[in-house]
Structure formats: C-alpha cells, structure tokens
Amino acid sequence: MPKAKNVAESLSIKSEMIMPNDTNTLGNLMGGNLMRMVDVIGAIAAQKHSNRIVVTASIDNVSFSNAVPLGDVVTLEAKVTRAFNTSMEVVVTVYSENIPAGTRIQTNQAFLTFVAVDQSGRPIEIAEAIPETEEEKEFYNAALRRRQLRLILAGRMKPNDATELKALFDL
C-alpha cells in the first residue's frame, strides 16, 4: 500500500475572472462552465493525492446557491476528504469575489469521486488520506456515509448493508 498522505497535501486552488463568453444571457457564469471547472480542479486534487491518472466516477448534487456575475473572480478550492481502496472523495468549494466591492461569498460546494487508474485504465490502490484539522476530520467522518449513499443510488449496495447510514436513522 502507498504511504499515507495528509489531506492538506492535495489542496488545489484556482481563480479565474468571469468573462462574457463564460456567461448566460443574464450575465452570470453558466452552470456547465462551473461544473467543468469543478471537475478539473477536483481531478488535480485527486492526482496530487494518488500520484496517478484519475477518472471521475461521480459528482454529487451541485446546487447553485448564488450566481457568479460577469467580472467577478471565481475561486475553486479542492482537497481529498477521504481515500478508500482505489477511489477518493474530493470536496470542491466555490467562491465568487467582487474585488472592487471587497465582497466574497461561497456560491457552491460539491463532492466528487475519482478513481485512480494505471496506464491501462485499471483501478489501482491509493494511499490513505489523513485528516488533521477539525474541518478535515468532519469531512473525513461523513465521507463514508456519502459513499454508502452513492453506492445505494448506483445499485451497487443494498440499503440494509449501509451500516453508517442506518446508524443515522436507528432510534
């Protein structure tokens, strides 16, 4: 098994100014353009953790809490939350900043799953992710529940086998 890595080692940050060809007819960043940015920065964080080629296995619910208007700077911060055998969960948090106005707001957050693969495209074992901060530990602990939910929704796990999820509902 590869040597364990701290979650912080996977941190990847990208900023980009929103230009006219990035926007919809209302002058806001198009959702599809944002999803592409989220996927790319997530893949970079996953590659940093695994030192491997990665492929996107899933993108969880992406909600658009706040629009990103033309001229704002969008910043995406990604890091691995937890690594499993060959897959890893990555959280991507998106901020919109109006530099002249001095405002910055969180617009989105998404969880993605990436699988590390070898040169032939076969899944390959990856290192454990070690959380250090309280936030990293919270993401790490909740990642197993999110994983079980993904597996159930994909038909790869029976709800009765989802022990972490059942614990939430057992009274």
Side-chain angles (χ1 to χ4, degrees), residues 4 13 44 54 62 64-65 77 80 82 92 95 97 110 115 118 124 137-138 156 167-169:
I13 301 172
I44 292 169
V54 298
V62 179
F64 299 90
S65 307
E77 297 179 4
V80 170
R82 188 166 181 164
V92 179
Y95 300 94
E97 185 175 10
V115 176
D118 63 17
I124 190 164
K137 290 174 184 175
E138 288 173 23
R156 296 178 52 212
L168 291 176
F169 298 103

Side-chain angles (χ1 to χ4, degrees), residues 14-168:
K14 173 186 170 63
S15 293
E16 187 172 321
M17 183 175 286
I18 302 308
M19 303 302 282
N21 64 330
D22 300 320
T23 65
N24 59 25
T25 54
L26 298 174
N28 295 316
L29 176 62
M30 292 181 69
N33 288 345
L34 177 63
M35 289 173 45
R36 180 187 182 286
M37 290 182 217
V38 165
D39 191 29
V40 170
I41 196 68
I44 292 169
Q47 282 189 345
K48 280 183 167 184
H49 179 76
S50 65
N51 294 325
R52 295 291 182 176
I53 297 167
V54 298
V55 294
T56 308
S58 71
I59 299 176
D60 287 4
N61 179 39
V62 179
S63 57
F64 299 90
S65 307
N66 294 292
V68 181
L70 174 66
D72 269 20
V73 172
V74 65
T75 299
L76 298 95
E77 297 179 4
K79 61 183 169 184
V80 170
T81 60
R82 188 166 181 164
F84 297 96
N85 186 34
T86 61
S87 68
M88 65 209 98
E89 181 188 77
V90 174
V91 62
V92 179
T93 308
V94 182
Y95 300 94
S96 178
E97 185 175 10
N98 181 321
I99 294 173
T103 60
R104 183 177 196 238
I105 58 169
Q106 181 177 323
T107 61
N108 307 79
Q109 188 171 67
F111 292 92
L112 298 87
T113 303
F114 292 92
V115 176
V117 296
D118 63 17
Q119 295 298 329
S120 301
R122 288 187 297 271
I124 190 164
E125 188 176 26
I126 58 173
E128 177 186 356
I130 301 170
E132 296 175 293
T133 68
E134 284 307 311
E135 179 187 54
E136 289 170 357
K137 290 174 184 175
E138 288 173 23
F139 279 136
Y140 180 91
N141 291 331
L144 187 53
R145 291 188 295 274
R146 288 188 295 269
R147 181 175 193 254
Q148 287 182 353
L149 181 58
R150 284 183 207 108
L151 292 172
I152 290 169
L153 292 173
R156 296 178 52 212
M157 177 182 266
K158 293 181 179 161
N160 287 340
D161 295 333
T163 55
E164 291 295 312
L165 292 177
K166 282 177 26 180
L168 291 176

